[in-house]
Short mmCIF file of all heavy atoms in Angstrom, two decimals:
data_model
loop_
_atom_site.label_atom_id
_atom_site.label_comp_id
_atom_site.label_asym_id
_atom_site.label_seq_id
_atom_site.Cartn_x
_atom_site.Cartn_y
_atom_site.Cartn_z
N PHE A 129 -83.82 21.23 -80.28
CA PHE A 129 -82.92 22.38 -80.25
C PHE A 129 -83.50 23.55 -81.06
O PHE A 129 -83.45 24.71 -80.65
CB PHE A 129 -81.53 22.01 -80.77
CG PHE A 129 -80.42 22.49 -79.88
CD1 PHE A 129 -79.33 21.69 -79.60
CD2 PHE A 129 -80.44 23.76 -79.31
CE1 PHE A 129 -78.29 22.11 -78.77
CE2 PHE A 129 -79.42 24.20 -78.48
CZ PHE A 129 -78.34 23.38 -78.21
N ALA A 130 -84.05 23.26 -82.24
CA ALA A 130 -84.60 24.32 -83.08
C ALA A 130 -85.74 25.03 -82.37
O ALA A 130 -85.86 26.27 -82.44
CB ALA A 130 -85.07 23.75 -84.42
N ASN A 131 -86.60 24.28 -81.68
CA ASN A 131 -87.70 24.88 -80.95
C ASN A 131 -87.18 25.75 -79.80
O ASN A 131 -87.76 26.81 -79.49
CB ASN A 131 -88.62 23.80 -80.41
CG ASN A 131 -89.91 24.36 -79.84
OD1 ASN A 131 -90.79 24.79 -80.58
ND2 ASN A 131 -90.02 24.37 -78.53
N PHE A 132 -86.08 25.32 -79.19
CA PHE A 132 -85.47 26.12 -78.12
C PHE A 132 -85.06 27.49 -78.65
O PHE A 132 -85.31 28.52 -78.02
CB PHE A 132 -84.26 25.38 -77.55
CG PHE A 132 -83.40 26.23 -76.65
CD1 PHE A 132 -83.73 26.43 -75.32
CD2 PHE A 132 -82.26 26.86 -77.15
CE1 PHE A 132 -82.94 27.23 -74.50
CE2 PHE A 132 -81.47 27.66 -76.33
CZ PHE A 132 -81.82 27.84 -75.00
N TRP A 133 -84.42 27.53 -79.83
CA TRP A 133 -83.98 28.81 -80.39
C TRP A 133 -85.19 29.66 -80.79
O TRP A 133 -85.16 30.89 -80.67
CB TRP A 133 -83.07 28.58 -81.60
CG TRP A 133 -81.70 28.08 -81.26
CD1 TRP A 133 -81.09 26.97 -81.77
CD2 TRP A 133 -80.76 28.67 -80.35
NE1 TRP A 133 -79.84 26.83 -81.23
CE2 TRP A 133 -79.60 27.86 -80.36
CE3 TRP A 133 -80.79 29.79 -79.53
CZ2 TRP A 133 -78.48 28.15 -79.59
CZ3 TRP A 133 -79.69 30.08 -78.75
CH2 TRP A 133 -78.55 29.27 -78.78
N ASN A 134 -86.25 29.04 -81.27
CA ASN A 134 -87.46 29.78 -81.61
C ASN A 134 -88.04 30.48 -80.39
O ASN A 134 -88.45 31.64 -80.44
CB ASN A 134 -88.50 28.82 -82.20
CG ASN A 134 -89.12 29.34 -83.46
OD1 ASN A 134 -88.58 30.23 -84.11
ND2 ASN A 134 -90.27 28.81 -83.82
N THR A 135 -88.05 29.76 -79.26
CA THR A 135 -88.53 30.35 -78.01
C THR A 135 -87.62 31.49 -77.57
O THR A 135 -88.08 32.52 -77.06
CB THR A 135 -88.60 29.27 -76.91
OG1 THR A 135 -89.50 28.23 -77.33
CG2 THR A 135 -89.09 29.84 -75.59
N SER A 136 -86.33 31.33 -77.78
CA SER A 136 -85.38 32.38 -77.43
C SER A 136 -85.61 33.63 -78.29
O SER A 136 -85.50 34.76 -77.80
CB SER A 136 -83.94 31.88 -77.62
OG SER A 136 -83.68 30.75 -76.82
N ASP A 137 -85.93 33.43 -79.58
CA ASP A 137 -86.22 34.56 -80.45
C ASP A 137 -87.46 35.31 -79.98
O ASP A 137 -87.53 36.54 -80.07
CB ASP A 137 -86.41 34.09 -81.89
CG ASP A 137 -85.11 33.69 -82.56
OD1 ASP A 137 -84.04 34.13 -82.08
OD2 ASP A 137 -85.14 32.93 -83.54
N GLU A 138 -88.44 34.58 -79.49
CA GLU A 138 -89.66 35.23 -79.00
C GLU A 138 -89.35 36.08 -77.76
O GLU A 138 -89.84 37.21 -77.63
CB GLU A 138 -90.71 34.18 -78.67
CG GLU A 138 -92.01 34.79 -78.23
CD GLU A 138 -93.21 34.10 -78.83
OE1 GLU A 138 -93.20 33.81 -80.05
OE2 GLU A 138 -94.16 33.87 -78.12
N GLN A 139 -88.53 35.55 -76.88
CA GLN A 139 -88.11 36.32 -75.70
C GLN A 139 -87.37 37.59 -76.14
O GLN A 139 -87.60 38.68 -75.60
CB GLN A 139 -87.21 35.46 -74.81
CG GLN A 139 -86.69 36.19 -73.58
CD GLN A 139 -85.60 35.41 -72.85
OE1 GLN A 139 -84.93 34.54 -73.43
NE2 GLN A 139 -85.42 35.70 -71.58
N MET A 140 -86.51 37.48 -77.13
CA MET A 140 -85.76 38.63 -77.61
C MET A 140 -86.68 39.64 -78.28
O MET A 140 -86.55 40.86 -78.09
CB MET A 140 -84.67 38.18 -78.57
CG MET A 140 -83.69 39.27 -78.97
SD MET A 140 -82.64 39.81 -77.60
CE MET A 140 -81.39 38.51 -77.61
N LEU A 141 -87.65 39.17 -79.06
CA LEU A 141 -88.59 40.06 -79.73
C LEU A 141 -89.37 40.89 -78.71
O LEU A 141 -89.51 42.11 -78.86
CB LEU A 141 -89.55 39.25 -80.60
CG LEU A 141 -90.75 40.02 -81.18
CD1 LEU A 141 -90.28 41.15 -82.08
CD2 LEU A 141 -91.68 39.07 -81.93
N LEU A 142 -89.88 40.25 -77.66
CA LEU A 142 -90.65 40.98 -76.65
C LEU A 142 -89.77 41.99 -75.92
O LEU A 142 -90.23 43.08 -75.57
CB LEU A 142 -91.28 39.99 -75.67
CG LEU A 142 -92.45 39.18 -76.24
CD1 LEU A 142 -92.84 38.07 -75.29
CD2 LEU A 142 -93.65 40.07 -76.54
N ALA A 143 -88.51 41.64 -75.70
CA ALA A 143 -87.59 42.59 -75.06
C ALA A 143 -87.35 43.79 -75.97
O ALA A 143 -87.33 44.94 -75.50
CB ALA A 143 -86.26 41.88 -74.74
N VAL A 144 -87.16 43.54 -77.27
CA VAL A 144 -86.94 44.63 -78.22
C VAL A 144 -88.15 45.55 -78.28
O VAL A 144 -88.02 46.79 -78.27
CB VAL A 144 -86.62 44.04 -79.61
CG1 VAL A 144 -86.77 45.10 -80.71
CG2 VAL A 144 -85.21 43.45 -79.63
N LEU A 145 -89.36 44.97 -78.32
CA LEU A 145 -90.58 45.79 -78.35
C LEU A 145 -90.71 46.62 -77.08
O LEU A 145 -91.08 47.80 -77.13
CB LEU A 145 -91.80 44.89 -78.54
CG LEU A 145 -91.92 44.17 -79.88
CD1 LEU A 145 -93.15 43.28 -79.89
CD2 LEU A 145 -91.98 45.16 -81.04
N GLU A 146 -90.43 46.02 -75.93
CA GLU A 146 -90.53 46.75 -74.67
C GLU A 146 -89.60 47.95 -74.65
O GLU A 146 -89.98 49.05 -74.22
CB GLU A 146 -90.21 45.82 -73.50
CG GLU A 146 -90.32 46.51 -72.14
CD GLU A 146 -90.07 45.56 -70.97
OE1 GLU A 146 -90.26 44.34 -71.13
OE2 GLU A 146 -89.67 46.04 -69.88
N GLY A 147 -88.38 47.77 -75.13
CA GLY A 147 -87.43 48.87 -75.14
C GLY A 147 -87.78 49.93 -76.16
O GLY A 147 -87.77 51.13 -75.86
N ALA A 148 -88.13 49.51 -77.39
CA ALA A 148 -88.38 50.47 -78.47
C ALA A 148 -89.60 51.33 -78.20
O ALA A 148 -89.62 52.52 -78.55
CB ALA A 148 -88.54 49.72 -79.79
N PHE A 149 -90.62 50.77 -77.56
CA PHE A 149 -91.83 51.54 -77.28
C PHE A 149 -91.62 52.56 -76.15
O PHE A 149 -92.52 53.36 -75.89
CB PHE A 149 -92.99 50.61 -76.94
CG PHE A 149 -93.78 50.16 -78.14
CD1 PHE A 149 -93.74 48.83 -78.55
CD2 PHE A 149 -94.54 51.06 -78.86
CE1 PHE A 149 -94.46 48.41 -79.66
CE2 PHE A 149 -95.27 50.65 -79.97
CZ PHE A 149 -95.23 49.32 -80.37
N GLN A 150 -90.46 52.55 -75.51
CA GLN A 150 -90.18 53.55 -74.49
C GLN A 150 -89.56 54.83 -75.06
O GLN A 150 -89.49 55.84 -74.36
CB GLN A 150 -89.24 52.97 -73.42
CG GLN A 150 -89.85 51.86 -72.58
CD GLN A 150 -88.87 51.34 -71.56
OE1 GLN A 150 -88.50 52.03 -70.62
NE2 GLN A 150 -88.42 50.11 -71.75
N VAL A 151 -89.09 54.77 -76.31
CA VAL A 151 -88.55 55.98 -76.94
C VAL A 151 -89.65 57.03 -76.96
O VAL A 151 -90.78 56.76 -77.38
CB VAL A 151 -88.06 55.67 -78.37
CG1 VAL A 151 -87.59 56.94 -79.07
CG2 VAL A 151 -86.93 54.64 -78.33
N ASP A 152 -89.36 58.23 -76.51
CA ASP A 152 -90.40 59.25 -76.31
C ASP A 152 -91.25 59.47 -77.55
O ASP A 152 -92.49 59.46 -77.48
CB ASP A 152 -89.76 60.57 -75.87
CG ASP A 152 -89.19 60.50 -74.45
OD1 ASP A 152 -89.62 59.62 -73.69
OD2 ASP A 152 -88.30 61.31 -74.13
N ASP A 153 -90.61 59.67 -78.71
CA ASP A 153 -91.37 59.93 -79.93
C ASP A 153 -92.25 58.75 -80.31
O ASP A 153 -93.36 58.93 -80.83
CB ASP A 153 -90.41 60.26 -81.08
CG ASP A 153 -89.75 61.62 -80.93
OD1 ASP A 153 -90.34 62.47 -80.22
OD2 ASP A 153 -88.66 61.83 -81.48
N VAL A 154 -91.74 57.55 -80.08
CA VAL A 154 -92.52 56.35 -80.40
C VAL A 154 -93.66 56.18 -79.41
O VAL A 154 -94.81 55.91 -79.79
CB VAL A 154 -91.61 55.11 -80.41
CG1 VAL A 154 -92.42 53.84 -80.67
CG2 VAL A 154 -90.50 55.26 -81.45
N ALA A 155 -93.38 56.35 -78.11
CA ALA A 155 -94.41 56.20 -77.09
C ALA A 155 -95.54 57.20 -77.30
O ALA A 155 -96.73 56.87 -77.16
CB ALA A 155 -93.79 56.37 -75.70
N ASN A 156 -95.20 58.44 -77.63
CA ASN A 156 -96.21 59.48 -77.81
C ASN A 156 -97.09 59.22 -79.02
O ASN A 156 -98.27 59.60 -79.04
CB ASN A 156 -95.55 60.85 -77.94
CG ASN A 156 -94.89 61.30 -76.65
OD1 ASN A 156 -95.26 60.87 -75.57
ND2 ASN A 156 -93.89 62.17 -76.77
N ALA A 157 -96.53 58.60 -80.04
CA ALA A 157 -97.26 58.44 -81.30
C ALA A 157 -97.83 57.04 -81.51
O ALA A 157 -98.76 56.88 -82.32
CB ALA A 157 -96.33 58.77 -82.48
N LYS A 158 -97.30 56.04 -80.81
CA LYS A 158 -97.63 54.66 -81.15
C LYS A 158 -98.20 53.84 -80.00
O LYS A 158 -98.35 52.63 -80.14
CB LYS A 158 -96.36 53.97 -81.67
CG LYS A 158 -95.86 54.50 -83.00
CD LYS A 158 -96.81 54.15 -84.12
CE LYS A 158 -96.26 54.57 -85.47
NZ LYS A 158 -97.14 54.13 -86.57
N ILE A 159 -98.49 54.46 -78.87
CA ILE A 159 -99.08 53.73 -77.75
C ILE A 159 -100.42 54.34 -77.40
O ILE A 159 -100.53 55.55 -77.16
CB ILE A 159 -98.17 53.75 -76.50
CG1 ILE A 159 -96.85 53.01 -76.78
CG2 ILE A 159 -98.87 53.11 -75.31
CD1 ILE A 159 -95.90 53.00 -75.59
N LEU A 160 -101.46 53.49 -77.37
CA LEU A 160 -102.75 53.89 -76.84
C LEU A 160 -102.93 53.16 -75.51
O LEU A 160 -103.11 51.94 -75.49
CB LEU A 160 -103.88 53.53 -77.79
CG LEU A 160 -105.28 53.83 -77.25
CD1 LEU A 160 -105.50 55.33 -77.06
CD2 LEU A 160 -106.37 53.24 -78.15
N ASP A 161 -102.88 53.89 -74.41
CA ASP A 161 -103.02 53.31 -73.07
C ASP A 161 -104.39 53.72 -72.53
O ASP A 161 -104.56 54.81 -71.99
CB ASP A 161 -101.90 53.81 -72.16
CG ASP A 161 -101.94 53.17 -70.78
OD1 ASP A 161 -102.92 52.43 -70.50
OD2 ASP A 161 -101.01 53.41 -69.99
N LEU A 162 -105.37 52.84 -72.69
CA LEU A 162 -106.71 53.16 -72.21
C LEU A 162 -106.76 53.25 -70.69
O LEU A 162 -107.63 53.94 -70.15
CB LEU A 162 -107.71 52.09 -72.68
CG LEU A 162 -108.19 52.17 -74.13
CD1 LEU A 162 -109.33 51.19 -74.34
CD2 LEU A 162 -108.64 53.57 -74.50
N THR A 163 -105.85 52.57 -70.00
CA THR A 163 -105.90 52.59 -68.54
C THR A 163 -105.60 53.98 -67.99
O THR A 163 -105.98 54.31 -66.87
CB THR A 163 -104.92 51.57 -67.94
OG1 THR A 163 -103.57 51.94 -68.30
CG2 THR A 163 -105.21 50.18 -68.45
N SER A 164 -104.91 54.81 -68.78
CA SER A 164 -104.67 56.19 -68.35
C SER A 164 -105.53 57.18 -69.13
O SER A 164 -105.92 58.22 -68.60
CB SER A 164 -103.18 56.55 -68.52
OG SER A 164 -102.80 56.50 -69.89
N LYS A 165 -105.87 56.86 -70.38
CA LYS A 165 -106.63 57.78 -71.22
C LYS A 165 -108.12 57.70 -70.94
O LYS A 165 -108.85 58.70 -71.05
CB LYS A 165 -106.35 57.48 -72.69
CG LYS A 165 -106.52 58.68 -73.61
CD LYS A 165 -105.73 58.48 -74.89
CE LYS A 165 -105.57 59.80 -75.61
NZ LYS A 165 -104.62 59.72 -76.70
N SER A 166 -108.58 56.51 -70.60
CA SER A 166 -110.01 56.30 -70.34
C SER A 166 -110.17 55.32 -69.20
O SER A 166 -110.69 54.21 -69.38
CB SER A 166 -110.70 55.78 -71.61
OG SER A 166 -112.06 55.57 -71.40
N PRO A 167 -109.70 55.66 -68.00
CA PRO A 167 -109.64 54.69 -66.90
C PRO A 167 -110.99 54.11 -66.49
O PRO A 167 -111.04 53.00 -65.94
CB PRO A 167 -109.01 55.48 -65.76
CG PRO A 167 -109.18 56.92 -66.13
CD PRO A 167 -109.19 56.97 -67.61
N THR A 168 -112.08 54.82 -66.73
CA THR A 168 -113.39 54.29 -66.36
C THR A 168 -113.99 53.39 -67.43
O THR A 168 -115.02 52.76 -67.22
CB THR A 168 -114.37 55.45 -66.07
OG1 THR A 168 -114.50 56.27 -67.25
CG2 THR A 168 -113.87 56.31 -64.91
N ASN A 169 -113.36 53.34 -68.58
CA ASN A 169 -113.85 52.50 -69.67
C ASN A 169 -112.64 51.94 -70.43
O ASN A 169 -112.44 52.22 -71.61
CB ASN A 169 -114.75 53.31 -70.61
CG ASN A 169 -115.43 52.45 -71.65
OD1 ASN A 169 -115.63 51.25 -71.45
ND2 ASN A 169 -115.81 53.04 -72.77
N ALA A 170 -111.84 51.17 -69.70
CA ALA A 170 -110.51 50.80 -70.21
C ALA A 170 -110.43 49.36 -70.72
O ALA A 170 -109.36 48.93 -71.12
CB ALA A 170 -109.46 51.00 -69.11
N GLU A 171 -111.53 48.61 -70.72
CA GLU A 171 -111.46 47.23 -71.18
C GLU A 171 -111.29 47.19 -72.71
O GLU A 171 -111.67 48.12 -73.42
CB GLU A 171 -112.72 46.47 -70.78
CG GLU A 171 -112.79 46.16 -69.29
CD GLU A 171 -113.89 45.17 -68.95
OE1 GLU A 171 -114.69 44.83 -69.85
OE2 GLU A 171 -113.94 44.73 -67.79
N PHE A 172 -110.72 46.08 -73.18
CA PHE A 172 -110.55 45.90 -74.63
C PHE A 172 -111.91 46.04 -75.30
O PHE A 172 -112.90 45.45 -74.88
CB PHE A 172 -109.97 44.52 -74.94
CG PHE A 172 -109.66 44.33 -76.40
CD1 PHE A 172 -108.36 44.47 -76.84
CD2 PHE A 172 -110.65 44.03 -77.32
CE1 PHE A 172 -108.05 44.32 -78.20
CE2 PHE A 172 -110.36 43.88 -78.67
CZ PHE A 172 -109.06 44.02 -79.10
#
Side-chain angles (χ1 to χ4, degrees):
F129 228 138
N131 190 73
F132 168 82
W133 287 126
N134 227 19
T135 301
S136 301
D137 286 339
E138 183 137 316
Q139 178 190 22
M140 189 68 81
L141 170 61
L142 288 170
V144 164
L145 293 178
E146 181 177 335
F149 271 111
Q150 293 180 68
V151 176
D152 290 339
D153 289 337
V154 178
N156 292 336
K158 293 292 185 175
I159 296 180
L160 176 65
D161 184 354
L162 282 189
T163 64
S164 63
K165 207 157 196 169
S166 180
T168 59
N169 188 24
E171 288 192 352
F172 186 100

